[in-house]
Every structure is written in structure tokens, then in C-alpha cells.
Amino acid sequence: MMKKKHFSILCILALVFSVICPVNALADESTGDDTYTYNLDYWGDVQDSPDFYTVCKVFTSSELGLETKMKSPEGLFVYQNFLYVCDTGNNRILEFERISSEKLELRRTIDSFEGDDNNTFNAPTDVAVSVEGNFFVADKGNARILKLDQKLNLLQIFVKPVDNTLDATIPFQPSKLAIDTAERVYCIATGINKGLIKYEPDGTFSGFVGATKVTFDFLDYVWKKLATQEQRAQMESFVPTEYDNVYMDHEGFVYACTGAVTREDLRADKAQAIRKINLMGNDILVRNGEWGIYGDIHMGSGGGYEGPSYFSDVTVFPNDIFICLDRNRGRLFGYDDQGHMVFAFGGNGNMDGYFRRPVAIEHYDQDVYVLDTLDCAITVFVPTEFGSMVYKAVDQFDQGDYNASGESWERVVQINGNYDLAYIGIGRARLRQERYKEAMEYFEVKYDDENYSKAFKQYRKEWVEDHIAIIVLIILALFLVPMGIGRIKAIKHEIDTDELFTR
Amino acid sequence: MIEALTRKENWIRYLNSLKFALYCMTHPLDGFWDLTHERRGTYAGANTILIATLMVRLMTLRYTSFLFIQVYWEDVNIFLYLASVLFPLALWVIGNWALTTLFDGKGRLGQVYIATCYGLTPYPVIQFPLMVLSNFVTIEEGQFYSVLSIISLIYCALLIVTAMGQIHEYSAGKNLLFTVATLFAMLVMIFILTIFFSMISQGVLYMISLVREFLFRL
């Protein structure tokens, strides 16, 4: 995005000459409502795309074989080949075994456990399973986080952290959980905006991590300074926003998303809809894409929905592609490890593949599971040929198999000629194969200046090495020819003025 | 006409006047004084420089490396793009002449035009090689592009301001004052033009609807 800023500065200067500068025009405001799957190109224009994921099956309560129907379920978790659903309204957790993409079998209905007087759940909102197989349940209504073993014996209870900065009167409402390999608990609690609550494996509270940056504009700040105590109390306070959901990726980084962001803050890069938090609590998400990682960039109102995408959950694949779930427009947005959009699809509605209020997303292998809290249904998406080819190409590149990756990307281009990542992917494969000229062409088509420069640098070096003889000759000629002419002229002058001839 | 074109001394005068543009670039005070007072500048030369500026401006769109300029071709209108040079130029020339002629300015309208066009010389002279060179560098080496590009614009602006001072025989302070005044005059003209066009279009629309009504009733 930097070079665009450069260009706009140039444009402002060009105003000395120009009133209108049509080059810098923005893309038209289409919202992508026309197709199910789409992508954004370099200019931010919506490009129609073949489906990346397609609905394999929608599991409703009856199809899952449940006697009591699910009631506003909120949590979803995949552990090995088990799928856990937090059936919040019925105070229970459902354990399904994933037989295949089309088949989920109910194994257990967990509604109580051993080892405590209060041995039932009250509105549990999230469940997570550690590597050792212990359950962690955010028992929101009972203001506690439970750690249970596979046989449902209570191992530990995590309660409200004792901290001076926390208001003791506010009830503790843990809503979402992430567990790392050492069984540290990262928790989001309703009403606590200092970041993620972090518990050590022994249950002690060890601090808040990764609070969002506080955003305010200067004018508000000045107003607040001038206002009286009472007026100030009435004003909106500058506080960090709460996260909506967390996900622990395979490397131990926590992905946290929030929907409480405004369009202006997102566009000004002041707020982040999604962050990748390291142990220090810093955001290390790579944002090299042309457009920000906040879902729809065209936020025109349509069908009663407006404003930015509301990310309610995120899931991360082993190849660092992550999928964000937009509760506002019922869409799924995939981004790669560099922050480029891989796909976007979905919508609000009642058909298969559309949602009313999607709240949780999980993946098994390449299948994606989405839980809708109003429909009380789990939708299973499987990648199409196009989707799996993209994944294949990404994986092959990560494994260093550049030839195969290039071929896979070429196959992707055959399916979808408007797919920018494919052209850049072919270019990167060509770059590794040292076919620089071709790489440059692919990068130029999709305006990838960094990679183009890399390829061009090598190409230029090769060219100079190949043509070194000619270059030296030309440079010599540039010096020798004028010198020679000067010499001849001098001789001629000498002859002309020589006494021998003038006499 | 044909006779004028075939006469050799006309061509020599034209070429000399073009060459003089380069002298003006490097010796603005001396050069722009001689431009009008010694009649070293010609309309042909001024037009050539203006056309060269327009051509280079168009060519940079297509031939500059995409590392520096990314063009959204769907929205490019060549005529609007050319007008983005011609329209401010016309406003400047007319505005400057209209003001200075009231305040002891010695330059005539044509001379203001010639001097302004001669002041544009650095644009093609710097931008054209820059455009060619941009295709032989990487993004890391590209810093010079934006710097030189901005320099070419500032250079032009300084030359034009200097030129106005010289042809009107103004002191430096008076020259600066009238530069600012001319910019204001341009704004006023834009304002009036906008009103004028909206009035005209309203009038035309009124007549059209009147005629439609007539035809409907007949």
C-alpha cells in the first residue's frame, strides 16, 4: 500500500498542472452480491470466481439423531476425529465422531461430570480439548472454567482472576477458550477488555495478553480534556475492544478476532479485525496484501446488512491459511500466510451454504465446519477441484517442490483466469526455476512489484553477464571514437598549418 | 504558407528558439528576459514544448514501469487527461495576463503564453529519460524516481514564476504577489465557469422541456 501513497503524493503535486487526475480513480462500489464465491483483485474490484468450497451436507438436530433439539449452540471444536458442539441452550456438550465428510455419529452427550457438588453446566459457551485429551469447558453461567479428563472427572477449576484492576462486583463470564500444548488457558470473558486472560497449567492467573490498541481521535481527546467530570462520565470512554473469539494454531500462536471495529478505523489501519498474538502479546499477523484483512472492503448496505464484516470466529490450517467467519453477511474469508485473500464466499439466507447467524468455524483436514446458532445446524464444506488445487499448489510450494507447484498453479489458472494468487504463484515457481523473464511477465500482470524486482534483478544480472563483451565494446567506442576524431582533426590541422604545405 | 515553410531561415529561427528553451532552463533570469525583449522565443517553439509535454505525460502512463505508476485503464480518458494540463495552463495564461495588464505588466497575452510554455521545458526533459530509466531498475533502487519526478514539477513551477517576473519587468516581491493573485484569479474563473455551465445546461433543459410540452400538446 505504500507505493499507492507515494503515487497520491505525486498526484497532489501534479495538481500544479492538473485539476483532474483520472489515473488514481477508485474501483466501483460493487458489493459482490452477484456470485457466491468471489475474490478481490489488485484494484479491489470484485472478481467472480468458481466455487472454492461447496456444501457437502447440512447437519440439523434430526439428522444428527438428537432427541432434544439443539438450542442456540455457540461452540465448536475438532479434536482428532471427534467434533464437539457446545449446546449452550441445553447446558450440554455433544461429542460426535466424524466418520466421513457426510457422516457424523453421536458418541456421547455430556451434561454432567464427577468431582464437584455443582456437577452440571450452566450455559457453556465453548469447549476445547488439549493435546493430552483433557476437556476445558467455559461454564459461563457458573462463572468458571472446568478441566475434565476423558472420563469426565473434574481435574481443576479456573475461577475469576484476582487482580486489582478488575472490578470485583462484575460477574466472571468466560465465553471462549484456547488451550496451548502445555495446557495454559487463554480465555475471553465478557466484560473484560484488557485482553486474553491467561492461566498457567496449575491454575494461577498470570496476566492479560494482547489487549487491542485503544483508538481515539484527537478531537475527542481535546473535548474530553475540556469537559467537566459529569460530562466526561456521559461520553464514550477510550477503552480497548473485547475479542469475540480465539483459536490456537498448530504453532502455538493465538488468533483472536473481534467484530467491534468501525469502517473508518479499519480503513485507516487503526483497528484490526483479526490479530495473531505471540507469547509477548504482540500482533504478528503478516499483512502484505493489497487490501486489509477485514473481510469485505466494499461495505455498501445491501439486503439490510451494512458496515464492516463482523468476524465471529477463525480457524487456521497447518499451511497458515486461515478462514474468518463473518457474522454480519454470513461469509467466509480465507487469507494466506502473507495476508492475501484466498477466497470469499457465502451469504445470508436459508439455503444450504447460507447462514442466519454463524458463530463458530472449525476444520478437519480441508473440510470446514460452520455452526449456525439460529439455525442450530452444522454446515460442512468440502473444497472443490479448484479449492483443492489451490491448497495443493500452496503446500507444494511450502515443501519446496517448485516445479509441481507451478504446474498446480497453471491448472488453477485454467479453472479461474481471474485468480491473482495463481499468477503470482506461477511467477514464484518460475523465479525458483531461474526462468526470470517468464517470472517477470507473470508478476507484471498482477502488479507484484516486490517479486518482480527480485526476478528483474536476476534477469538484469544475467543479461549483463551475457552481453559483457558488447557493453565493454560500446563503452570503449564511446571513449575511443571521439578521441580518434580529435586526433585525426589535430593531424589534419597540423598538416594544414604546416609550413611545408602553406609555403 | 508553403513559401514560409520552405524558407530556410524560418526553420533556423525555429530550431534556435527551441534550443533557447534549454538555455532558459539553466539561465532563467537572463533567458526569460531575452525571450521577449530580444524576441528569442517563437510561438512554434512554445507549441512544440507544450505538445512534447502532453506527449510525455501520455507516454508515462503507458511506458513507465508498473513499479512506479499503476494505471487503472478502465477509468483513463485521454482527453480529460490532456485537459488536466491544458485547462490549468489556459486559466493561468489568461488570469495572469488579465491581472498584470492592469498593473504595469509589460508582457502581452501571447508573450505570457510563450513564456509559460518555455517554463514547462523541464517536464519533458526530465520525465522522458526518467520514464525510459524506470524500466531498468528494481523497486529498491526506485527512490530516485519519485524524487526526480517531484523535482521536475517544482523546477517547472519555479521557471514559470521567474518567467512571469521577467516578461512583466516586475520586482521579486511584486512577482510573488501576482503569482498568488493569479492563482486566486484561476479559482475565480473556475467558479464562474462552473456557474456558467450549470446555468447553460439548466437553460437548455428548460428549452427542451418546453419544446417537448409543445409537441405533446400539438
Side-chain angles (χ1 to χ4, degrees):
Chain A
M1 293 227 189
M2 257 326 277
K3 59 181 188 289
K4 276 187 191 153
K5 267 179 205 155
H6 264 307
F7 186 47
S8 55
I9 291 169
L10 264 184
C11 265
I12 290 165
L13 271 156
L15 277 176
V16 179
F17 295 92
S18 58
V19 212
I20 318 139
C21 195
V23 187
N24 206 16
L26 264 173
D28 61 328
E29 285 271 326
S30 62
T31 50
D33 285 333
D34 304 326
T35 50
Y36 186 65
T37 307
Y38 64 94
N39 209 318
L40 297 172
D41 67 3
Y42 174 82
W43 300 106
D45 285 354
V46 169
Q47 295 287 354
D48 295 353
S49 161
D51 283 351
F52 198 95
Y53 270 103
T54 182
V55 178
C56 173
K57 196 170 165 74
V58 178
F59 291 103
T60 56
S61 297
S62 51
E63 267 163 309
L64 290 166
L66 299 174
E67 285 168 23
T68 343
K69 286 196 171 169
M70 284 195 280
K71 199 169 149 195
S72 53
E74 283 188 18
L76 196 63
F77 196 83
V78 167
Y79 171 68
Q80 291 174 352
N81 56 340
F82 290 98
L83 181 77
Y84 296 90
V85 178
C86 230
D87 191 359
T88 310
N90 291 326
N91 301 326
R92 61 179 183 175
I93 290 156
L94 304 166
E95 184 183 74
F96 298 100
E97 189 178 349
R98 180 191 179 276
I99 311 293
S100 67
S101 298
E102 295 102 37
K103 202 161 166 62
L104 287 177
E105 250 174 39
L106 184 65
R107 282 279 171 265
R108 274 196 287 187
T109 303
I110 305 167
D111 49 13
S112 63
F113 57 92
E114 300 293 322
D116 196 60
D117 297 336
N118 182 4
N119 69 344
T120 52
F121 307 119
N122 184 1
T125 48
D126 200 17
V127 58
V129 186
S130 69
V131 180
E132 281 99 276
N134 296 322
F135 291 110
F136 289 80
V137 181
D139 195 1
K140 192 175 184 178
N142 287 330
R144 60 185 180 177
I145 299 163
L146 301 165
K147 179 180 172 185
L148 314 172
D149 68 6
Q150 278 289 333
K151 303 246 161 48
L152 303 179
N153 295 312
L154 180 68
L155 296 176
Q156 214 170 335
I157 294 183
F158 301 86
V159 291
K160 183 175 185 179
V162 182
D163 192 77
N164 292 335
T165 58
L166 276 187
D167 189 346
T169 56
I170 294 176
F172 182 49
Q173 291 181 305
S175 62
K176 294 290 170 188
L177 295 173
I179 315 297
D180 71 4
T181 45
E183 297 202 326
R184 283 186 207 95
V185 179
Y186 296 86
C187 158
I188 298 170
T190 310
I192 294 178
N193 56 15
K194 293 182 174 59
L196 304 171
I197 301 164
K198 183 179 168 190
Y199 295 99
E200 291 303 318
D202 60 4
T204 52
F205 164 68
S206 68
F208 297 102
V209 286
T212 56
K213 258 185 271 171
V214 180
T215 59
F216 60 89
D217 56 69
F218 188 70
L219 205 65
D220 282 352
Y221 181 75
V222 173
W223 263 123
K224 199 155 262 201
K225 283 280 158 201
L226 296 173
T228 63
Q229 198 78 45
E230 292 79 38
Q231 285 170 327
R232 225 174 287 171
Q234 297 230 321
M235 284 186 197
E236 221 181 320
S237 51
F238 309 135
V239 291
T241 49
E242 281 176 46
Y243 288 117
D244 280 274
N245 218 325
V246 278
Y247 183 86
M248 178 68 66
D249 79 352
H250 60 287
E251 288 174 314
F253 294 115
V254 178
Y255 282 71
C257 56
T258 179
V261 281
T262 63
R263 169 193 319 227
E264 290 72 26
D265 283 353
L266 287 175
R267 286 195 173 147
D269 209 25
K270 278 204 289 194
Q272 302 297 349
I274 182 144
R275 307 176 83 210
K276 182 180 182 178
I277 299 166
N278 66 3
L279 278 175
M280 305 292 292
N282 297 322
D283 181 14
I284 56 161
L285 194 65
V286 182
R287 295 185 171 85
N288 285 342
E290 291 299 332
W291 304 97
I293 307 180
Y294 49 83
D296 280 312
I297 60 168
H298 306 295
M299 302 167 188
S301 56
Y305 303 99
E306 56 178 84
S309 303
Y310 190 113
F311 284 170
S312 59
D313 199 6
V314 57
T315 188
V316 186
F317 287 108
N319 57 14
D320 277 332
I321 288 179
F322 57 98
I323 304 180
C324 305
L325 183 66
D326 169 20
R327 195 175 80 186
N328 187 15
R329 290 188 185 81
R331 285 183 181 148
L332 282 79
F333 296 94
Y335 294 94
D336 71 3
D337 57 346
Q338 292 297 306
H340 300 109
M341 186 184 272
V342 181
F343 58 81
F345 65 86
N348 286 307
N350 294 319
M351 286 188 290
D352 285 2
Y354 292 81
F355 305 104
R356 285 166 69 204
R357 187 180 289 166
V359 290
I361 184 170
E362 265 291 347
H363 74 274
Y364 179 89
D365 206 6
Q366 289 180 348
D367 296 358
V368 171
Y369 292 81
V370 178
L371 179 70
D372 192 307
T373 189
L374 284 182
D375 287 340
C376 297
I378 302 165
T379 309
V380 186
F381 290 96
V382 291
T384 58
E385 189 198 351
F386 170 55
S388 37
M389 197 55 80
V390 170
Y391 282 147
K392 200 167 139 193
V394 170
D395 289 340
Q396 282 164 339
F397 190 87
D398 288 347
Q399 287 154 13
D401 193 353
Y402 306 120
N403 294 329
S405 173
E407 279 162 27
S408 300
W409 280 124
E410 270 167 31
R411 179 85 192 92
V412 172
V413 168
Q414 284 169 9
I415 303 173
N416 182 5
N418 286 331
Y419 199 63
D420 287 16
L421 285 182
Y423 290 91
I424 292 166
I426 297 172
R428 284 170 74 190
R430 294 279 186 278
L431 182 60
R432 298 298 178 113
Q433 291 164 354
E434 304 190 347
R435 289 152 75 179
Y436 302 120
K437 183 73 184 159
E438 287 174 53
M440 280 160 59
E441 282 162 13
Y442 278 105
F443 292 136
E444 186 165 2
V445 170
K446 293 302 172 193
Y447 301 93
D448 187 341
D449 47 7
E450 301 269 330
N451 280 319
Y452 176 88
S453 290
K454 272 184 209 161
F456 180 71
K457 208 171 187 173
Q458 297 302 321
Y459 176 73
R460 190 174 56 183
K461 205 172 133 203
E462 265 185 6
W463 190 90
V464 169
E465 279 165 7
D466 288 351
H467 297 79
I468 190 72
I470 296 169
I471 293 169
V472 169
L473 271 181
I474 289 172
I475 292 174
L476 276 180
L478 281 178
F479 280 100
L480 290 181
V481 169
M483 272 166 72
I485 290 170
R487 189 93 190 98
I488 289 166
K489 272 189 180 164
I491 292 171
K492 201 171 168 236
H493 179 74
E494 234 168 75
I495 292 169
D496 285 349
T497 54
D498 197 278
E499 285 179 18
L500 196 70
F501 300 103
T502 48
R503 214 168 8 173
Chain B
M1 175 75 187
I2 302 214
E3 198 194 339
L5 275 177
T6 46
R7 266 166 64 189
K8 204 181 171 194
E9 57 263 39
N10 279 357
W11 282 101
I12 289 170
R13 188 166 137 73
Y14 165 66
L15 286 178
N16 279 338
S17 73
L18 260 190
K19 235 184 265 170
F20 191 68
L22 295 177
Y23 181 79
C24 288
M25 240 179 99
T26 45
H27 309 78
L29 291 176
D30 191 20
F32 284 116
W33 180 270
D34 288 356
L35 190 73
T36 49
H37 296 85
E38 305 284 329
R39 299 176 53 78
R40 298 286 294 271
T42 56
Y43 280 109
N47 290 338
T48 311
I49 293 166
L50 181 58
I51 289 167
T53 305
L54 293 175
M55 289 299 290
V56 168
R57 192 160 160 74
L58 277 185
M59 280 164 79
T60 48
L61 271 191
R62 174 66 187 84
Y63 295 109
T64 304
S65 168
F66 80 98
L67 302 178
F68 306 108
I69 294 179
Q70 302 86 28
V71 186
Y72 190 68
W73 287 107
E74 280 84 342
D75 275 1
V76 173
N77 181 337
I78 285 187
F79 298 107
L80 266 183
Y81 201 65
L82 292 181
S84 70
V85 176
L86 290 177
F87 184 63
L89 183 85
L91 285 182
W92 168 270
V93 170
I94 294 167
N96 189 279
W97 171 76
L99 275 177
T100 51
T101 200
L102 298 175
F103 294 93
D104 300 338
K106 298 289 184 291
R108 295 192 306 269
L109 183 61
Q111 289 173 337
V112 174
Y113 170 73
I114 292 177
T116 309
C117 287
Y118 271 66
L120 288 175
T121 322
Y123 189 82
V125 166
I126 295 178
Q127 291 280 339
F128 187 78
L130 206 56
M131 176 185 86
V132 177
L133 214 62
S134 78
N135 289 296
F136 296 102
V137 293
T138 62
I139 189 99
E140 294 90 27
E141 302 151 358
Q143 275 304 318
F144 81 93
Y145 179 89
S146 36
V147 172
L148 279 179
S149 191
I150 290 168
I151 284 177
S152 77
L153 296 181
I154 295 173
Y155 200 168
C156 285
L158 288 179
L159 280 190
I160 290 173
V161 172
T162 322
M164 294 305 113
Q166 291 301 310
I167 60 167
H168 294 311
E169 295 174 27
Y170 279 172
S171 64
K174 198 174 177 189
N175 186 20
L176 277 182
L177 181 72
F178 274 89
T179 304
V180 176
T182 307
L183 292 177
F184 268 110
M186 288 166 75
L187 285 181
V188 170
M189 278 191 282
I190 291 172
F191 178 65
I192 291 170
L193 279 177
T194 323
I195 292 177
F196 180 73
F197 277 116
S198 76
M199 291 269 286
I200 292 282
S201 61
Q202 297 257 341
V204 169
L205 276 181
Y206 173 73
M207 293 311 285
I208 288 174
S209 57
L210 207 67
V211 171
R212 278 218 183 114
E213 193 72 14
F214 258 121
L215 291 176
F216 186 66
R217 303 272 164 185
L218 279 174

